[in-house]
Amino acid sequence: RAYSLVDSSQVSTFLISILLIVYGSFRSLNMDFENQDKEKDNSNASGSFNGNSTNNSIQTIDSTQALFLPIGASVSLLVMFFFFDSVQVVFTICTAVLATIAFAFLLLPMCQYLTRPCSPQNKISFGCCGRFTAAELLSFSLSVMLVLIWVLTGHWLLMDALAMGLCVAMIAFVRLPSLKVSCLLLSGLLIYDVFWVFFSAYIFNSNVMVKVATQPADNPLDVLSRKLHLGPNVGRDVPRLSLPGKLVFPSSTGSHFSMLGIGDIVMPGLLLCFVLRYDNYKKQANSDSCGAPGPGNISGRMQKVSYFHCTLIGYFVGLLTATVASRIHRAAQPALLYLVPFTLLPLLTMAYLKGDLRRMWSEPFHSKSSSSRFLEV
């Protein structure tokens, strides 16, 4: 009976979401290593070291932003619910631009591997547009091609590819600095998710979250052909677009699609990225202190269990629970209602048992000037 509650589309959702979180977290950690080595090179060249220097492209969420993010998301949801017909073209174009950049970031390691034997890593100047390597140009060209094909066909697989790029880019470039901010953000988003899925129908006579997530948008090519009066056969056969704010996978029978919003991947993914960085930070701190043992009341086996693996298992169990609940109740479920407790509670318990809770709660990461080896992703 338990097996019948999960079909092939949901198994695909499980695997893809976990792979995206793991890949995005390691890309984020790799970026930290690169920044540390660049800071070390700069300090060797200038004779001084600034431990507070950071990559300007990385956005760190503070407590105030964590508290107001669910409010901003609610306002955006209402705008899309009430004024979707007015803003759908602008929203589709903005989403396509962001998805192009994000998918190029996703393809960049593969393009670097392909161009390494036959092309130097020197950057090519494009005037005011900046300087780019051959791998960056190749990844961006492939990304633009994929977005154009998606606009022309509207295929769900291409939409999933763009959503994957958005997930990885957001996990890699957005950081949670402490466990306190993580708890504030995820708790607020849990309330946001539960309200808009379970209670919005009582106020707006419609499930706002489900309607916004599943409503297709007009194709920009169709809108452009109508505005320019290009004729009835020009641009009119393009499909409406389901926007890449979610992952969808068809069932084996093709009767329905399994859907998971990218917020249900990115937000727990930010927590997993935080604990992965903390595991690495603690490992470096222990190596600097010549392998000092942990608290005496914790066994050595418990000390070897990483926070990342514990939280990742909690994410999988929470996602499985959300899927079973949706099949039992035959209705959309707020995935964060299950994902947040299954990720935060084991993490808080393990941090308390290991004696790391106070340090993880409020202490930010320290920049380390020591060189670090890159992780191969």
Side-chain angles (χ1 to χ4, degrees):
R1 178 175 176 81
Y3 178 78
S4 64
L5 293 176
V6 181
D7 61 21
S8 59
S9 63
Q10 287 148 352
V11 172
S12 301
T13 305
F14 292 164
L15 296 177
I16 294 298
S17 61
I18 290 175
L19 287 175
L20 290 175
I21 288 177
V22 172
Y23 181 70
S25 299
F26 276 89
R27 285 290 296 272
S28 176
L29 189 61
N30 235 19
M31 291 168 62
D32 281 351
F33 288 164
E34 291 174 355
N35 292 335
Q36 289 174 12
D37 284 356
K38 288 179 181 178
E39 290 171 358
K40 182 186 176 184
D41 294 340
N42 293 336
S43 66
N44 291 336
S46 63
S48 62
F49 175 73
N50 180 13
N52 295 324
S53 60
T54 56
N55 191 336
N56 293 330
S57 62
I58 295 175
Q59 175 65 42
T60 301
I61 298 177
D62 57 24
S63 299
T64 303
Q65 292 171 333
L67 288 173
F68 282 95
L69 195 147
I71 299 175
S74 299
V75 173
S76 301
L77 199 65
L78 285 176
V79 170
M80 293 296 296
F81 179 72
F82 286 112
F83 307 105
F84 184 79
D85 292 338
S86 303
V87 301
Q88 58 178 325
V89 176
V90 175
F91 189 74
T92 302
I93 294 174
C94 292
T95 302
V97 172
L98 291 176
T100 302
I101 299 172
F103 194 72
F105 175 76
L106 178 65
L107 293 177
L108 184 57
M110 181 192 71
C111 294
Q112 288 174 336
Y113 177 79
L114 293 175
T115 59
R116 188 178 301 165
C118 56
S119 174
Q121 296 302 313
N122 298 331
K123 292 190 175 183
I124 305 171
S125 176
F126 283 84
C128 61
C129 296
R131 298 169 59 85
F132 306 95
T133 63
E136 291 170 343
L137 294 175
L138 177 60
S139 65
F140 184 74
S141 301
L142 293 175
S143 181
V144 170
M145 186 183 305
L146 183 135
V147 171
L148 291 177
I149 297 175
W150 167 67
V151 171
L152 292 173
T153 63
H155 198 278
W156 65 267
L157 195 58
L158 301 178
M159 183 197 71
D160 279 359
L162 298 177
M164 292 175 194
L166 288 170
C167 288
V168 172
M170 293 176 68
I171 294 173
F173 285 101
V174 180
R175 303 290 170 83
L176 296 175
S178 65
L179 191 55
K180 173 185 175 181
V181 176
S182 303
C183 291
L184 287 175
L185 178 64
L186 290 177
S187 300
L189 289 173
L190 185 153
I191 297 173
Y192 155 86
D193 209 15
V194 169
F195 174 79
W196 289 111
V197 173
F198 283 155
F199 301 105
S200 61
Y202 297 104
I203 302 175
F204 302 99
N205 296 321
S206 177
N207 191 317
V208 176
M209 181 75 76
V210 173
K211 183 176 180 180
V212 170
T214 58
Q215 190 169 4
D218 289 339
N219 197 302
L221 296 180
D222 184 23
V223 176
L224 184 64
S225 67
R226 284 190 273 110
K227 292 291 183 181
L228 299 179
H229 305 287
L230 298 179
N233 297 324
V234 180
R236 299 299 178 87
D237 56 346
V238 291
R240 302 190 74 191
L241 297 176
S242 182
L243 301 180
K246 54 191 175 294
L247 292 179
V248 295
F249 291 95
S251 63
S252 56
T253 60
S255 58
H256 67 278
F257 279 78
S258 175
M259 183 176 68
L260 182 67
I262 64 173
D264 301 325
I265 301 173
V266 171
M267 296 308 165
L270 295 179
L271 178 65
L272 277 125
C273 179
F274 164 74
V275 296
L276 178 64
R277 292 168 56 230
Y278 186 83
D279 283 333
N280 179 71
Y281 167 77
K282 186 178 179 182
K283 182 179 179 180
Q284 291 185 3
N286 288 339
S287 63
D288 291 344
S289 60
C290 301
N297 60 332
I298 302 298
S299 65
R301 180 174 298 180
M302 181 68 175
Q303 286 292 337
K304 293 180 180 179
V305 178
S306 69
Y307 292 111
F308 180 76
H309 292 113
C310 172
T311 312
L312 186 62
I313 293 172
Y315 177 81
F316 176 80
V317 175
L319 194 60
L320 180 63
T321 306
T323 301
V324 172
S326 66
R327 295 296 294 271
I328 292 176
H329 297 288
R330 299 184 181 276
Q333 295 291 308
L336 292 179
L337 175 63
Y338 308 94
L339 295 175
V340 171
F342 276 103
T343 53
L344 273 184
L345 293 181
L347 173 59
L348 292 171
T349 303
M350 178 172 284
Y352 175 78
L353 293 176
K354 285 189 173 185
D356 292 331
L357 183 58
R358 180 174 299 179
R359 183 167 54 178
M360 293 178 70
W361 185 257
S362 59
E363 182 180 352
F365 297 103
H366 293 297
S367 297
K368 300 181 73 66
S369 58
S370 59
S371 61
S372 305
R373 296 181 62 185
F374 287 178
L375 292 180
E376 293 294 336
V377 178

